Amino acid sequence: MTTAHNTTSPQYPFTAVVGMDDLRLALLLNAVSPAVGGVLVRGEKGTAKSTAVRALSALMPAVDVVGGCRFACAPTAPDPGCPDGPHGTGPVEHRPTRMVELPVGASEDRLVGALDIERALSEGVKAFEPGLLADAHRGILYVDEVNLLHDHLVDLLLDAAAMGASYVEREGVSVRHAARFLLVGTMNPEEGELRPQLLDRFGLTVEVAASREPDQRVEVVRRRLAYDADPTGFAARWAGDEDELRGRIAEARELLPRVTLGDRALRQIAATCAAFEVDGMRADIVMARTATALAAWAGRTDVAEEDVRQAALLALPHRRRRNPFDAPGLDENKLDETLEEFRGTDEDPAPGTDGDDDPDPDGPDGGGPGGGDGPEGGHPPQEGGPEEAPLPPETGLPHQQDGEAAPTPQAPEQPEPEPRPQGGAAGEKPAVGATEPFRTRRLDVPGLGEGADGRRSRARTAHGRTTGARRPRGALGKLHLAATVQAAAPHQKARGRRGTGLVVRRDDLREAVREGREGNLVLFVVDASGSMAARKRMSAVKGAVLSLLLDAYQRRDKIGMITFRGSGADLALPPTSSVEAGAARLEQLPTGGRTPLSEGLLKAHEVLRIERMRDPSRRALLVVVTDGRATGAPGAGRAAGGPLARASRAARLLAADGTAAVVVDCEAGPVRLGLAGELARDLQGTAITLDELRADSVSALVRTVQGTRTTHGNRKAA
């Protein structure tokens, strides 16, 4: 869907957005300097992220394009390889900047465009229908819920962002066109994180949250209701503010080439990126561009320390993360210390300084707190229209402190007797920290699936190695050229072929059958009972589960978590794409009480049954983390009706459904009962120890989930 302006009703005005100073500033900086590289907006649902982004397009300066060109070529510098070219001295169109929205469920052809393979083979004609990347050229590409975008679309976005062009390749026939756009994405972190490669492509990032100030919340509701009741009248009330802001953006754009980035500012930028250990040099470049845009926005021709500081707060939080469990954000005290350490002088003293080595930090244009107030401080104009007074601004990015170190394990480990429950939280022990996560071996589901693209189990996918050909099911996907020619060849004489062209009919077309990898639902069932409560052991168990969560993130899985202790089992985390949520639940997990293993397995059976109805194509992998013990109601462990017997029946119920399972054996000590191995046999799965889970372990390799039913299942799937 391509939108420049809403044809049915006016867009919600940008200047009518209440609060969210950081978001508005980041968007305006990209309007001033598109080279900043776009914005990623992270925040909870219902915080007007999309409203603010969509309102930006009305503020962007209009562009001149070659008349009739579907690829928005600039008249002064048309793309020499444009499929609609070469362009002569034709008419020039003056049109608003486009905002193109990329739906999460879009197809590859909708994004990059479609090539008519039948005409290409039979006529040698490149009949090309442009996609969203062509529409977004010299405009804005907006992806709502960008973290839910499929991997194959992410790959195409990365290619276009890196090369400034889009390539459509179909078996030797190719089309290329320019695709330079401002990338803006919004996401709710609870629904999963972005791939690091795409995350780094966003120039700036901001965190947004609903205001807790009642007056601001009242104003948000008042303005929204007024807009819904009369969109045209509401937009007219804010038209003056919109025009004023549009003019200020144009002035800042005109000033931008004259802004000087001095040596002092460059050293502070480099020192800040080094201090926060960001990868590569893109962060330095983005910070430099952002600081320059901030100076132009403030109406200055020199970059001040306040610009460098603000640029760091916008450009670095998402680049300093080392894994998906790191909270975004910067230590502002560390940032201030770094800027102070590298505060020097340029060869030419900046305005407001006396030329000494230590410029006055509190001068009107200095780098101290006094230079950051008002429009000269680089902040966007306050809302507050014709009838309302300006509202108090919200704070900037949330301050994130480094997490505390995990408690030191107690040694030696002593088995702890399971306390008798005395109601409520009897026997509960406080949560302990996890050990450092490690790289795990890949655990995959046997057979061949057809689920969503991922990196875990074998599956028939749209991408991967070609294993055969078939007639298209609906629109043609990847053409299998050899199979198509083979199907058309016997009919050439009957079709009256003349010349060199191959006479191809639609019935001849064959698409490639490809095998790649899919993402699975990884459901963790974690024993948090008293038998696992030894501090050292539980810390190691949490580290192992945390490592598996990280592995699930990298393989694009959905995850869920069930914990069992005391008198029952709880669904601690419903199936989701957010491994951060899983890590948070794990960190807070207390231990103690009895070991209701059967309840945990039955809960898993119910969760998997519901998920199969919701998403039939996504296969599940059950990971049970336990020592195999089971306690509960009175009765002998293996006797009929005893805890172990009930657990065995629950495990066989899961096996009957064909659930692939792995049991991570957490039993410790010199005397081992081997109960986890028995549980794995009942599940028709595999038991591995914590040591065997490590990718660098020299123990037995666990490459796939194998059981007595697995070999037969693979043969049937083949």
Side-chain angles (χ1 to χ4, degrees), residues 30 41 134 194 229 333 443 632:
N30 277 274
V41 188
L194 278 180
N333 291 330
L443 307 173

Side-chain angles (χ1 to χ4, degrees), residues 449-464:
E450 293 186 350
D453 286 349
R455 298 193 184 93
R456 184 172 296 278
S457 304
R458 292 175 56 225
R460 294 187 180 95
T461 61
H463 303 82

Side-chain angles (χ1 to χ4, degrees), residues 298-383:
R300 289 184 273 102
T301 56
D302 65 291
V303 174
E305 183 175 311
E306 71 215 40
D307 301 323
V308 176
R309 187 180 193 279
Q310 183 66 58
L313 292 175
L314 293 173
L316 296 188
H318 61 302
R319 291 187 166 89
R320 59 166 293 274
R321 306 180 74 191
R322 285 296 177 267
N323 63 63
F325 310 129
D326 292 338
L330 293 181
D331 183 340
E332 295 192 33
N333 291 330
K334 181 178 180 180
L335 173 60
D336 291 335
E337 290 172 1
T338 303
L339 294 176
E340 175 69 27
E341 180 182 355
F342 286 87
R343 178 182 294 156
T345 58
D346 295 326
E347 294 180 0
D348 297 322
T353 66
D354 56 8
D356 294 336
D357 290 340
D358 296 317
D360 181 7
D362 297 323
D365 295 311
D373 298 332
E376 286 72 30
H379 296 290
Q382 292 296 315
E383 68 279 0

Side-chain angles (χ1 to χ4, degrees), residues 1-12 54-62 95-100 242 246:
M1 173 178 160
T2 304
T3 56
H5 295 285
N6 194 324
T7 57
T8 58
S9 62
Q11 189 69 260
Y12 190 93
R54 291 189 178 103
L56 176 67
S57 61
L59 301 176
M60 300 287 287
R95 71 183 187 196
T97 296
R98 286 177 173 173
M99 173 172 283
V100 177
E242 292 282 287
R246 194 177 294 111

Side-chain angles (χ1 to χ4, degrees), residues 307 383 416 526 537 553 558 587:
D307 301 323
E383 68 279 0
E416 300 187 11
V526 182
R537 189 194 313 180
Y553 164 76
K558 288 180 67 175
E587 192 67 26

Side-chain angles (χ1 to χ4, degrees), residues 36-185:
V36 166
V39 187
L40 175 64
V41 188
R42 297 164 47 94
E44 58 197 26
K45 53 186 177 294
T47 50
K49 301 186 297 292
S50 299
T51 299
V53 171
R54 291 189 178 103
L56 176 67
S57 61
L59 301 176
M60 300 287 287
V63 295
D64 291 332
V65 300
V66 174
C69 178
R70 298 174 297 167
F71 302 89
C73 282
T76 56
D79 179 12
C82 177
D84 285 353
H87 299 300
T89 56
V92 175
E93 295 180 9
H94 190 70
R95 71 183 187 196
T97 296
R98 286 177 173 173
M99 173 172 283
V100 177
E101 296 192 33
L102 171 60
V104 169
S107 66
E108 180 178 330
D109 285 347
R110 185 69 189 99
L111 178 61
V112 300
L115 192 65
D116 191 330
I117 299 298
E118 186 174 355
R119 291 188 63 192
L121 287 176
S122 60
E123 304 174 29
V125 176
K126 294 182 180 179
F128 181 68
E129 181 65 28
L132 296 178
L133 290 179
D135 292 340
H137 179 48
R138 302 178 65 203
I140 303 170
L141 182 63
Y142 172 48
V143 189
D144 194 14
E145 306 296 347
V146 63
N147 52 323
L148 303 183
L149 204 62
H150 291 298
D151 267 6
H152 67 284
L153 296 182
V154 172
D155 293 338
L156 295 170
L157 271 183
L158 287 171
D159 288 343
M163 297 184 293
S166 174
Y167 291 84
V168 181
E169 302 281 351
R170 289 289 192 279
E171 301 294 345
V173 181
S174 65
V175 172
R176 173 212 166 274
H177 64 82
R180 290 182 293 275
F181 46 82
L182 185 65
L183 183 61
V184 181

Side-chain angles (χ1 to χ4, degrees), residues 259-275:
V259 175
T260 301
L261 184 64
D263 186 66
R264 178 186 63 183
L266 276 173
R267 287 182 179 277
Q268 287 182 319
I269 289 170
T272 301
C273 293

